[in-house]
Amino acid sequence: MTIRGGDTSRLRRINLVTTLRTVRSQGPIGLTDLARGAALSRPTVEGLVEELLAAGWLRELPPESGQMGRPARLFAFHATGGHVLGIDIGSYTLRVSVADLDGAVVAAHDEQISATAGRAERLAGLRTAIAAALDAGGLTADRIAAVCAGTTGVVTAEGVVKLSVGLPEWTGLDLAGELRAGFDCPVLVENDCNLAALAERWRGQARSVDDLVFVLSGVRTGAGILVGGKLLKGARGGAGEIGALPLVGWHRAPVHLTGFQGLPPGTAPRDAAAQVFAAARSDDPAAQWAVEQYARDLAEGIAALVLTVDPELVVLGGGVSRSGDVLLAPLRRHLDPFCLEPPVVAISDLGEQAVVLGAVRRALDHVDARLYDFDAPLPKPFS
Amino acid sequence: MTIRGGDTSRLRRINLVTTLRTVRSQGPIGLTDLARGAALSRPTVEGLVEELLAAGWLRELPPESGQMGRPARLFAFHATGGHVLGIDIGSYTLRVSVADLDGAVVAAHDEQISATAGRAERLAGLRTAIAAALDAGGLTADRIAAVCAGTTGVVTAEGVVKLSVGLPEWTGLDLAGELRAGFDCPVLVENDCNLAALAERWRGQARSVDDLVFVLSGVRTGAGILVGGKLLKGARGGAGEIGALPLVGWHRAPVHLTGFQGLPPGTAPRDAAAQVFAAARSDDPAAQWAVEQYARDLAEGIAALVLTVDPELVVLGGGVSRSGDVLLAPLRRHLDPFCLEPPVVAISDLGEQAVVLGAVRRALDHVDARLYDFDAPLPKPFS
């Protein structure tokens, strides 16, 4: 804590961060208020602001007209100085969102794809979706600060898909490597349920919740866990994979919906859940029984997660979250008796945007971590 | 990071911590080396050392004789300036260990008790055990810096036993409150499996492991989880309670041992496991089958924990850890197919000391946290 000669450049880096954090929390702000907020002298702050303007992290607002005397200079965080890309690689849809450094989504593109598409076809679709989203945002890849992609399956720290039962030819794919070919900036890959958990904490049902179990349910079932506000990824990327345990019913849960006898012939698996829930809502007893069975199997895996980590909140997302009105009561009926205390359960309202929003949040967190790392040089807002 | 006038006392507190940390990591140490190690001026360090000596956190070593000139003063951490108490409240034994501030156990007392003893009898036994351990250490309660007690069951943040199936009349007990009556210092209460997990990381099989699942198995089965080196306690104290899920076999696991047909009549439940494992070791096929069934049921709950948190290591402790040579192979045979990747499993070598050692560690962590908290006044080494 004693600052000595050799630490001058580090002290400057620390002061750059303090200045930037103050602008982000209090801006637009003038130099006098900024010096007070950052607890630095005004000449020091002035120099720091010039450096942050030059680097592209701050922008100067046009002077306010109509004031007496020379108007005070006003500075704000340059949120559009860089952008991040969030990606959701699903079975049927490849979603790409472009967000500015404040997390505002400025452009997006959804690319439809066949659930049976193999690795090459899915990667080609992904490149198309990325190009279209960048184009819609009027940006090129070299203006991107960080990329994060969500995918089903177990993902290593290096961004390799170690295991995926959801997507054909996906196991073993170096997804981070594939994506890095198109970008100079950091590229992250994460399990999609993990990203959805981050999204719920950022903009969903779990704001201010640090200990969360997110359950994605629909054609497949998965989980993402937050402990102390951070993703629980596991030593080998396998946290939240309770669905692999045959003793709990996640492996058979979707079959109650996709295999429901009352479905019109030719109903696609992805449309089955909505139809069964709609029938249950209309008091069809067979559909209600299917929902009951589905809820029971879902509850078994959720109970295992709850009894292991004891979260503050369980958020249910994915396709079935649109049918929360029908599902919640039977789910609670089966879940509560399994648990020591009834867990608090909420239905996601992020819909199909949860994973891609979480990917944006994860990419922004990476940008911020570099920006606020005293021990590294001040980065640029892109590439 | 800019130090201003009003921060002088905080700066001094920070420098006290820096000095103390340097002595603890490098001592016994002289003033010159200490000033260098703490990156402070020698006169500053001299003043800080005097304050730490007066508070009781440091001690001065006797001057080395036979040196030319005035011998340099040498200082060390005053590990015996305060002590902590670790307590393990078991079904059959109440264990109390007294440790100095370096964690060296200087005295201990085990008090036998009936497994059917009710609340009042168990608390009375506990007071006897505490008094005997203090007496053996030549200490009184007012010389204790912190107390931590481990108990079965779900424990709230306030130290109330919310639920215990293991000990009679234990549910609802304000255990922290009961213990506080005998001490002026902080009193902590924690689930016993959680404490055993801390002990494994401190002095057992999980040194340098941050993400751990500890499984206590014997007459009962429980778990403690570390994430990022910290206890996962859960929002309501219920983390690791997977044994409550009837879908996994922990509730029936001990019955394979206690209900084994080949036991001599009148074998006490606590002795059953050792006898079954001994018979299995001697190639008794019925005993081997009982161990196989036990391993299968144990594996089910461990798999649920592993598939939820994906730890670096699973440590198996409790009564059965003495029979690791017989249990490990069947356990792995059943566990590995449940998991995405075979988890690394180790057998504890802390024996019956795991919980009480973990309680000592938890109490020491509390002492250190107060000692190193810049925002609180420098505490005393006891009470």
Side-chain angles (χ1 to χ4, degrees):
Chain A
M1 220 41 86
T2 308
I3 306 294
R4 299 198 295 186
D7 293 335
T8 309
S9 64
R10 186 160 193 271
L11 182 58
R12 185 169 178 87
R13 184 70 175 83
I14 292 169
N15 288 339
L16 280 168
V17 167
T18 306
T19 304
L20 197 50
R21 281 189 184 271
T22 309
V23 176
R24 283 187 92 164
S25 64
Q26 300 178 29
I29 189 168
L31 285 172
T32 306
D33 291 339
L34 185 49
R36 189 180 303 120
L40 293 165
S41 77
R42 195 181 146 121
T44 301
V45 160
E46 204 156 2
L48 295 165
V49 163
E50 290 304 332
E51 183 171 344
L52 290 167
L53 283 169
W57 290 111
L58 292 187
R59 65 191 175 90
E60 184 165 359
L61 273 59
E64 294 178 23
S65 59
Q67 284 191 313
M68 299 292 287
R70 195 175 60 158
R73 298 176 72 191
L74 273 181
F75 303 95
F77 180 64
H78 192 195
T80 56
H83 291 82
V84 299
L85 233 60
I87 300 172
D88 172 13
I89 304 170
S91 294
Y92 303 98
T93 311
L94 307 167
R95 288 177 216 283
V96 182
S97 281
V98 184
D100 71 18
L101 298 180
D102 276 343
V105 174
V106 297
H109 182 85
D110 290 357
E111 183 79 14
Q112 300 307 312
I113 192 156
S114 161
T116 59
R119 181 187 291 198
E121 188 181 346
R122 196 166 300 270
L123 286 173
L126 194 54
R127 284 188 288 270
T128 303
I130 290 170
L134 285 171
D135 200 48
L139 291 163
T140 48
D142 61 348
R143 306 297 288 189
I144 298 300
V147 175
C148 178
T151 175
T152 65
V154 178
V155 179
T156 69
E158 292 74 32
V160 174
V161 182
K162 198 154 61 174
L163 178 72
S164 172
V165 291
L167 300 176
E169 302 175 5
W170 213 242
T171 295
L173 172 65
D174 178 6
L175 183 54
E178 291 286 346
L179 289 166
R180 273 191 199 111
F183 295 93
D184 292 328
C185 65
V187 173
L188 311 167
V189 176
E190 189 58 74
N191 171 274
D192 51 3
C193 298
N194 286 359
L195 294 177
L198 287 180
E200 292 297 339
R201 184 161 186 266
W202 186 31
R203 293 191 173 167
Q205 297 283 15
R207 294 174 213 202
S208 83
V209 170
D210 283 340
D211 298 296
L212 172 71
V213 163
F214 172 85
V215 175
L216 181 133
S217 60
V219 179
R220 59 197 177 77
T221 316
I225 301 168
L226 300 184
V227 172
K230 288 186 180 169
L231 268 183
L232 180 68
K233 298 168 77 149
R236 298 183 286 191
E241 295 291 337
I242 192 69
L245 189 66
L247 303 169
V248 301
W250 281 13
H251 58 287
R252 65 179 173 250
V255 180
H256 300 296
L257 308 176
T258 56
F260 178 58
Q261 295 297 313
L263 289 174
T267 303
R270 65 182 303 193
D271 299 326
Q275 299 228 21
V276 177
F277 284 112
R281 200 178 284 111
S282 311
D283 294 325
D284 174 335
Q288 283 172 337
W289 179 240
V291 169
E292 194 74 23
Q293 295 293 96
Y294 177 75
R296 155 84 196 200
D297 285 342
L298 196 60
E300 291 183 355
I302 296 176
L305 296 168
V306 166
L307 286 166
T308 300
V309 303
D310 183 23
E312 292 170 72
L313 177 67
V314 175
V315 173
L316 192 66
V320 304
S321 59
R322 284 187 301 269
S323 308
D325 58 321
V326 181
L327 179 60
L328 199 52
L331 179 67
R332 286 204 168 118
R333 196 156 55 239
H334 291 290
L335 180 58
D336 292 357
F338 281 136
C339 302
L340 295 178
E341 292 178 76
V344 186
V345 181
I347 303 289
S348 173
D349 55 10
L350 295 177
E352 293 170 324
Q353 294 298 311
V355 176
V356 74
L357 258 182
V360 164
R361 183 63 260 167
R362 181 76 188 81
L364 288 170
D365 286 343
H366 190 81
V367 171
D368 283 353
R370 290 176 79 203
L371 184 51
Y372 294 147
D373 177 4
F374 299 151
D375 296 314
L378 186 72
K380 289 185 189 168
F382 49 84
S383 284
Chain B
M1 224 38 87
T2 307
I3 307 293
R4 298 198 294 186
D7 294 335
T8 310
S9 65
R10 186 161 193 272
L11 182 58
R12 184 167 178 88
R13 185 70 175 85
I14 292 169
N15 288 339
L16 280 168
V17 167
T18 307
T19 304
L20 197 49
R21 282 190 185 271
T22 308
V23 176
R24 285 186 91 163
S25 65
Q26 299 178 29
I29 190 169
L31 287 171
T32 307
D33 290 340
L34 185 49
R36 190 181 302 122
L40 294 164
S41 77
R42 198 183 144 120
T44 300
V45 159
E46 206 156 358
L48 295 166
V49 163
E50 289 305 331
E51 183 170 344
L52 291 167
L53 283 169
W57 290 109
L58 292 186
R59 65 190 175 90
E60 183 165 2
L61 273 60
E64 293 180 21
S65 58
Q67 283 190 318
M68 297 293 287
R70 197 174 58 160
R73 298 176 72 191
L74 273 181
F75 303 96
F77 179 64
H78 193 195
T80 56
H83 292 83
V84 298
L85 232 59
I87 300 173
D88 172 13
I89 303 170
S91 295
Y92 303 98
T93 311
L94 307 167
R95 286 175 217 284
V96 182
S97 282
V98 184
D100 71 18
L101 298 178
D102 275 344
V105 175
V106 298
H109 181 84
D110 289 358
E111 183 80 15
Q112 300 307 313
I113 192 156
S114 161
T116 58
R119 182 187 291 200
E121 188 181 345
R122 197 167 300 270
L123 286 174
L126 194 54
R127 284 188 287 270
T128 303
I130 290 169
L134 284 171
D135 200 49
L139 291 162
T140 47
D142 60 350
R143 306 296 288 188
I144 298 300
V147 175
C148 179
T151 176
T152 64
V154 178
V155 179
T156 69
E158 293 74 32
V160 174
V161 182
K162 198 154 63 176
L163 179 72
S164 172
V165 290
L167 299 177
E169 302 174 5
W170 214 240
T171 295
L173 173 65
D174 178 5
L175 184 54
E178 292 286 345
L179 289 167
R180 272 192 200 110
F183 296 93
D184 293 328
C185 64
V187 173
L188 312 167
V189 177
E190 187 58 75
N191 172 273
D192 52 2
C193 299
N194 286 0
L195 294 177
L198 287 180
E200 292 296 338
R201 185 161 185 266
W202 186 31
R203 294 194 171 163
Q205 296 284 14
R207 295 176 212 203
S208 83
V209 170
D210 284 340
D211 298 295
L212 171 71
V213 163
F214 171 84
V215 176
L216 182 131
S217 61
V219 178
R220 59 198 177 78
T221 316
I225 301 168
L226 300 184
V227 172
K230 287 186 181 168
L231 269 183
L232 180 68
K233 299 168 78 150
R236 298 184 285 191
E241 296 290 335
I242 191 70
L245 189 66
L247 304 168
V248 302
W250 281 13
H251 58 288
R252 64 178 174 251
V255 181
H256 299 296
L257 307 178
T258 55
F260 178 58
Q261 295 296 314
L263 290 175
T267 302
R270 66 182 303 197
D271 300 326
Q275 298 227 22
V276 177
F277 283 112
R281 202 178 283 113
S282 310
D283 294 325
D284 175 336
Q288 284 172 338
W289 179 241
V291 169
E292 194 74 24
Q293 297 293 97
Y294 177 75
R296 156 83 197 202
D297 285 342
L298 196 59
E300 292 183 356
I302 297 177
L305 295 169
V306 165
L307 285 166
T308 301
V309 303
D310 184 21
E312 292 170 72
L313 176 68
V314 175
V315 173
L316 192 65
V320 305
S321 59
R322 285 187 301 267
S323 307
D325 58 319
V326 181
L327 180 60
L328 199 52
L331 179 67
R332 285 202 169 119
R333 195 158 55 240
H334 291 289
L335 180 58
D336 291 358
F338 280 135
C339 302
L340 295 177
E341 292 179 74
V344 186
V345 180
I347 302 291
S348 172
D349 55 10
L350 295 177
E352 293 170 323
Q353 295 298 313
V355 175
V356 73
L357 259 181
V360 164
R361 182 64 260 166
R362 182 74 188 81
L364 289 170
D365 286 345
H366 189 82
V367 171
D368 284 354
R370 289 177 78 204
L371 185 51
Y372 294 149
D373 177 4
F374 300 152
D375 296 314
L378 186 71
K380 289 185 187 165
F382 48 85
S383 283

